[in-house]
Amino acid sequence: MKSKPTLDDLIGVEHSKLGYYRELQQKVAEVEISNLELARRQRQIQAILDGITDVMMVLSLNLKIVSVNHVFQDVFRVPEPEGKFCHEVFRSAPQPCSSCPVITSRESNRVCRHLAIYPVDGQNRHFEITASPLRNPDGKPCLILLLMRDVTLEKELQAKYYQSQRMATIGVLAAGVAHEINNPLTAISGFAEGLKRRLPRIEKTIDQELMDDFSEYLGIILKECQRCQEIVQSLLTFGRQTCPESSPVNLNNLVNDTLKLLQNQLKQYRKDLIQVELDESLPPVQGNESQLKQVVLDLLFNALDATQEKGAIILRTSSGNGDWVSFSIEDTGYGIPSEHMDRLFEPFFTTKPVGKGVGIGLSTCYNIVDQHGGEIQVESEEGKGSTFIVKLPRENRNGSLQSNPNPGS
Amino acid sequence: MELRKFSIPEIIFGRGSLRYVGRCARRIGAEKVFLVSDPGLEQAGWVDRLTETLEEEKLRWVYFNDVVSNPRDLQIEKGAAVYRRERADVVIALGGGSPMDAAKGIAVVASNGGQIRDYEGANRIQRPLPPMVFIPSTAGSGSDITQFAIITDVRRKVKMSIISRTLVPNISIIDPLVLQTKTRKLIIAAAIDAMSHAIESYVSNIASPFTELLSLQAIGLIVKHLHTAVETRSLDSLEQLSSASTVAGMAFSNAGLGADHALAHSLGGMFDTLHGLVHPVLLPAVMRFNLPECIEKMADIGRVLLGRRLGSSEATALGGIEKFEEFCESLEVGVHLKEIVRDKSELPNLCKMAVNDACLLTNPRKATCEDLLQICEGAW
């Protein structure tokens, strides 16, 4: 039995009819606290969302844009995309694209990844697209979250990486082949020399006509051997991953020296064919002068070969923004067919007639520039001309090559 | 004087006041009403009349009528489950003491949880109750006014008193028209109950100037109008009984009762007796027992009952008690305890239970179990 009521209990001075006011106050206080907490979480989530550097958008199931993040505006600059169809916004197309990750995700109720290229500011850019269904409590998709990451840079780096891998492989291969050929070639040339030396001793015993044939044939053998040896030599140079001596080089002087060197050969061309635009304030680069001279020579020869009588070649140096010093050769020649662009720097790739070139020049240039920590870019339009731009790292204070501290590896 | 407290509900009194039920419920926030009544009032058409007023206010309701005289704990808990399941809000009770006490119990369990026996005693209710609108159909138990609810614990055979200011309904709507359909027996039982409330609260040891006038007022009204009400069913006299019951309720809710009610609760618990018919048997004996402690007050009661004073206070008091006995006999109700308790050997148990009843606290004369037994013997 509970404690028995007392008279004071019956009078109940301290007890009143309980109302909900107190409970209401408590509830209001609780709601206020939970509201603050919700607002804080909301801000936190918003901060997280704002921190995402990918384009993010929410699409309805019929591909209409529900909302976008600020990155969307930074990248695509489409005013008020909400309510428009995504294919209208990205492709200006009235119908959904044929392989649409959103539709795949909607139908499969799964995350779907996809690579696509969209034009942005006139340039095609690669996007990695992830479409994830946002599910309602029944687990059915009700909205689609679309994340778009610009992977153009990654794609370019990947392409460069593959290119340099291929070049390295070919280089090693070429050097090996050259080395193997060099020995028999030395034997052939040595023994041909021997035959040539011994030829006077049989001069008296054979008739003059035969003697002339022998003499001519041996001459051809020796001449061709010489040519082979030159090719082999350049192949060996190409393949040799050496660490050349480097010193500060002024690209302006380099260009002028090279032109002086070619003074004789250039006489056959129009005088105003080659124009020079040099940046007087060009800082020096760290490099091997003779190697860099070879790059200028090779590129200049290519430009001369490509340019007609009436064309023009412009040699430029400039210290662009940042850490680069660049040298470029612009010509108004044939231009390079787009299908050749990818193979331009491969050894033995040439469009010149047999005997005019073996396709070593540009690949050598590529190697040299690569070893200097720089890069070669090509812009070309078929029929209008090409521009080769060599970018080299600006000399830094301790005098070593910047981007490629260990070029021999 | 020590501290006293007085609290009552909002009261709407008058013929036809029933039609305000819907509006009242709406005003205190109802959307889905929990309505408690009984089959008798359904048959008399009062439940329909009430629900029409709810319909007028576009209120939904859930109806609960599983209530018997001396409402039981299991019924309360069942009702509370219905209340919660139906997501009801305001509790409305239309009926005599049983449906109203049941509604109070349901309100307590629905909002505070547990079982109704958890709240037995005083001031054990910790959380607010649903708003309550009560319409008494008798005059009356006073449950529409008071801070009490009396529920039977079936297993222990005890009438539990649940006392809390929170049990005071929000609104009491007293419509004398409802009394017209009651039987003679019920009108008498209810009126004598009201009379006993008035008498016991007047001599209570926590009676105050706020309650004493009300008690005497109720005694006077009942003794004057009950006969006419029973014989003629005139609306005027029924209205006077309603008024008497209401003021008696106001008095005893704040002043408490006494030994008569302590015993009556025990009788109800043990024998399921109709509460109103216990007082003609016990109250005169209790009054005589209390007389030495409160002669002047008993004399006041006697003066009201008799309409005049006799020679001395004691004579007036005793005259009043006799007048009360005559009054009950004239109404043809039983006045002997043996008519209720068949076996005299039950009396000690009865008194053991009654001595623990909260009503005994306010009895003007301290009563032991032995005293109670003597009272019962006297009433045999």
Side-chain angles (χ1 to χ4, degrees):
Chain A
M1 183 76 191
K2 294 154 198 160
S3 64
K4 283 169 68 176
T6 64
L7 265 187
D8 285 341
D9 284 329
L10 294 187
I11 298 167
V13 172
E14 290 175 33
H15 297 276
S16 294
K17 184 167 175 63
L18 297 170
Y20 282 95
Y21 182 66
R22 194 177 147 72
E23 291 221 333
L24 194 66
Q25 271 184 318
Q26 281 172 347
K27 283 274 177 254
V28 168
E30 281 169 24
V31 166
E32 273 172 2
I33 289 169
S34 71
N35 258 349
L36 284 176
E37 176 64 11
L38 275 180
R40 194 185 64 77
R41 281 192 209 164
Q42 181 71 35
R43 281 197 303 276
Q44 207 171 30
I45 290 170
Q46 193 56 48
I48 291 171
L49 289 179
D50 287 345
I52 292 173
T53 53
D54 296 349
V55 173
M56 201 164 62
M57 38 199 301
V58 177
L59 297 181
S60 66
L61 294 182
N62 64 355
L63 308 183
K64 270 192 181 166
I65 296 173
V66 176
S67 61
V68 299
N69 68 346
H70 65 103
V71 184
F72 176 94
Q73 293 299 358
D74 297 346
V75 173
F76 293 106
R77 295 198 185 86
V78 177
E80 292 173 23
E82 289 88 356
K84 295 178 185 163
F85 285 107
C86 62
H87 43 86
E88 284 176 351
V89 170
F90 293 119
R91 304 268 192 216
S92 306
Q95 298 297 323
C97 315
S98 54
S99 62
C100 173
V102 177
I103 292 176
T104 313
S105 170
R106 183 185 71 193
E107 301 307 324
S108 65
N109 196 7
R110 284 190 185 165
V111 174
C112 174
R113 292 200 171 77
H114 188 74
L115 277 172
I117 298 172
Y118 297 114
V120 175
D121 294 336
Q123 278 192 313
N124 281 336
R125 298 199 71 88
H126 292 262
F127 284 96
E128 186 184 76
I129 301 176
T130 308
S132 329
L134 302 177
R135 301 180 180 99
N136 62 18
D138 306 334
K140 298 261 167 56
C142 56
L143 291 169
I144 305 289
L145 174 69
L146 208 63
L147 287 171
M148 300 171 73
R149 172 173 296 174
D150 186 337
V151 292
T152 313
L153 204 61
E154 282 94 326
K155 285 267 156 197
E156 281 171 0
L157 287 174
Q158 204 174 34
K160 273 185 194 168
Y161 175 72
Y162 285 143
Q163 171 77 353
S164 64
Q165 284 290 101
R166 202 161 54 182
M167 296 291 283
T169 310
I170 293 171
V172 170
L173 205 67
V177 169
H179 190 74
E180 287 303 311
I181 287 174
N182 202 28
N183 289 342
L185 204 56
T186 310
I188 292 168
S189 125
F191 283 114
E193 289 281 358
L195 282 178
K196 195 182 171 185
R197 276 201 305 275
R198 284 168 178 76
L199 205 56
R201 283 156 62 180
I202 56 165
E203 195 176 0
K204 306 281 168 45
T205 57
I206 53 171
D207 68 65
Q208 190 55 39
E209 203 178 337
L210 190 61
M211 182 63 192
D212 288 348
D213 284 349
F214 277 11
S215 190
E216 186 192 348
Y217 293 172
L218 278 172
I220 291 170
I221 289 171
L222 282 171
K223 209 178 96 192
E224 291 302 307
C225 273
Q226 174 101 34
R227 207 161 81 83
C228 280
Q229 273 167 337
E230 277 170 21
I231 294 172
V232 163
Q233 201 51 49
S234 63
L235 276 181
L236 283 174
T237 313
F238 169 73
R240 202 188 302 132
Q241 308 267 312
T242 55
C243 182
E245 280 180 31
S246 74
S247 55
V249 178
N250 186 311
L251 285 183
N252 290 348
N253 297 344
L254 195 80
V255 170
N256 288 328
D257 290 353
T258 310
L259 288 174
K260 265 181 214 158
L261 207 67
L262 292 176
Q263 232 167 12
N264 255 335
Q265 280 165 286
L266 291 176
K267 275 180 186 162
Q268 54 175 312
Y269 297 101
R270 234 175 53 241
K271 212 174 179 190
D272 61 348
L273 177 68
I274 298 175
Q275 296 159 27
V276 182
E277 295 174 10
L278 300 178
D279 179 350
E280 293 304 328
S281 64
L282 199 70
V285 299
Q286 189 75 15
N288 181 288
E289 187 166 351
S290 67
Q291 281 194 338
L292 290 176
K293 205 177 272 179
Q294 193 188 339
V295 171
V296 177
L297 267 176
D298 277 339
L299 292 177
L300 187 56
F301 278 131
N302 281 349
L304 286 169
D305 285 348
T307 312
Q308 308 278 0
E309 264 302 295
K310 286 185 179 171
I313 295 170
I314 305 169
L315 291 169
R316 273 196 198 92
T317 58
S318 67
S319 55
N321 52 346
D323 301 325
W324 299 100
V325 174
S326 67
F327 153 72
S328 69
I329 294 187
E330 185 183 336
D331 69 55
T332 56
Y334 316 125
I336 302 162
S338 55
E339 67 264 30
H340 290 165
M341 285 295 259
D342 286 349
R343 306 186 59 199
L344 220 49
F345 296 101
E346 279 181 23
F348 311 117
F349 176 79
T350 181
T351 55
K352 292 176 182 170
V354 178
K356 280 271 180 181
V358 287
I360 289 290
L362 275 180
S363 56
T364 307
C365 288
Y366 177 92
N367 265 14
I368 291 170
V369 173
D370 190 44
Q371 280 173 22
H372 278 77
E375 55 183 56
I376 301 184
Q377 290 173 352
V378 189
E379 290 163 8
S380 182
E381 200 173 336
E382 217 179 336
K384 290 203 170 171
S386 313
T387 307
F388 282 76
I389 303 158
V390 176
K391 286 159 86 176
L392 294 165
R394 188 186 286 233
E395 181 198 21
N396 67 5
R397 284 196 197 109
N398 59 27
S400 68
L401 294 181
Q402 266 189 329
S403 320
N404 198 349
N406 192 11
S409 66
Chain B
M1 192 172 76
E2 285 167 49
L3 293 179
R4 293 292 179 262
K5 186 160 177 171
F6 190 84
S7 60
I8 55 170
E10 279 184 29
I11 296 169
I12 300 175
F13 187 94
R15 302 173 193 181
S17 56
L18 181 70
R19 68 175 181 272
Y20 290 94
V21 171
R23 265 173 275 181
C24 287
R26 159 75 70 199
R27 199 176 68 230
I28 55 178
E31 284 180 7
K32 188 171 187 180
V33 163
F34 188 84
L35 173 59
V36 183
S37 190
D38 63 35
L41 288 158
E42 280 169 52
Q43 279 163 22
W46 294 112
V47 173
D48 285 343
R49 292 282 295 279
L50 193 153
T51 55
E52 279 164 21
T53 75
L54 300 180
E55 269 169 17
E56 278 168 22
E57 294 295 319
K58 310 248 183 311
L59 298 174
R60 294 175 297 148
W61 68 88
V62 49
Y63 181 58
F64 185 80
N65 69 355
D66 184 12
V67 184
V68 294
S69 174
N70 300 323
R72 296 168 184 177
D73 46 5
L74 291 177
Q75 291 171 321
I76 302 306
E77 278 136 36
K78 191 177 149 198
V82 174
Y83 177 96
R84 281 195 289 246
R85 189 184 68 225
E86 297 286 338
R87 296 172 173 276
D89 36 52
V90 169
V91 172
I92 297 181
L94 168 66
S98 298
M100 289 195 285
D101 280 355
K104 284 182 178 180
I106 289 167
V108 169
V109 174
S111 57
N112 284 256
Q115 295 175 311
I116 191 63
R117 72 168 60 94
D118 301 339
Y119 304 97
E120 183 181 2
N123 305 320
R124 296 190 184 277
I125 299 167
Q126 303 299 327
R127 291 167 49 81
L129 304 193
M132 294 182 280
V133 180
F134 281 15
I135 306 99
S137 68
T138 60
S141 69
S143 184
D144 54 308
I145 305 288
T146 68
Q147 59 162 333
F148 303 106
I150 311 296
I151 309 288
T152 303
D153 182 330
V154 173
R155 195 172 46 79
R156 285 189 292 148
K157 288 197 169 186
V158 172
K159 272 191 147 185
M160 300 181 284
S161 294
I162 299 156
I163 307 163
S164 166
R165 296 283 171 186
T166 276
L167 285 175
V168 176
N170 298 58
I171 304 176
S172 171
I173 298 177
I174 301 149
D175 187 346
L177 294 180
V178 182
L179 263 54
Q180 286 176 304
T181 56
K182 287 287 162 187
T183 61
R184 172 193 159 88
K185 185 183 168 190
L186 267 177
I187 290 175
I188 292 169
I192 292 180
D193 192 22
M195 173 84 94
S196 71
H197 294 155
I199 291 172
E200 288 216 297
S201 63
Y202 187 69
V203 297
S204 156
N205 51 18
I206 58 168
S208 71
F210 309 108
T211 64
E212 284 161 353
L213 269 178
L214 297 170
S215 298
L216 292 181
Q217 167 83 349
I219 295 166
L221 285 173
I222 293 165
V223 82
K224 186 173 175 192
H225 294 286
L226 181 54
H227 274 293
T228 331
V230 171
E231 303 310 329
T232 69
R233 298 292 177 100
S234 87
L235 203 48
D236 285 340
S237 49
L238 288 174
E239 190 173 76
Q240 295 297 336
L241 291 185
S242 285
S243 173
S245 161
T246 304
V247 293
M250 291 154 90
F252 91 85
S253 179
N254 294 288
L257 295 166
D260 166 61
H261 269 82
L263 286 165
H265 289 157
S266 300
L267 276 170
M270 288 174 74
F271 307 109
D272 204 17
T273 326
L274 184 62
H275 178 66
L277 297 183
V278 174
H279 310 301
V281 176
L282 289 175
L283 190 53
V286 170
M287 287 166 86
R288 287 196 178 92
F289 172 77
N290 285 337
L291 185 61
E293 290 290 330
C294 51
I295 291 176
E296 287 306 322
K297 276 199 158 185
M298 281 295 183
D300 293 340
I301 292 170
R303 182 175 50 77
V304 173
L305 284 169
L306 294 165
R308 61 195 168 93
R309 277 187 69 88
L310 300 180
S312 66
S313 290
E314 189 172 1
T316 314
L318 286 169
I321 296 169
E322 278 161 26
K323 168 73 182 177
F324 178 72
E325 283 173 319
E326 281 167 28
F327 184 70
C328 291
E329 275 167 32
S330 70
L331 291 166
E332 295 158 355
V333 293
V335 292
H336 297 290
L337 189 55
K338 60 183 170 222
E339 292 162 46
I340 298 167
V341 185
R342 303 253 176 264
D343 188 348
K344 212 170 181 176
S345 66
E346 300 273 12
L347 292 182
N349 273 338
L350 182 84
C351 296
K352 263 183 216 161
M353 205 174 281
V355 86
N356 286 319
D357 194 283
C359 288
L360 210 53
L361 285 169
T362 45
N363 198 59
R365 181 174 169 191
K366 193 149 175 56
T368 62
C369 192
E370 201 57 39
D371 296 331
L372 292 180
L373 197 57
Q374 276 185 7
I375 290 170
C376 289
E377 300 267 3
W380 190 259

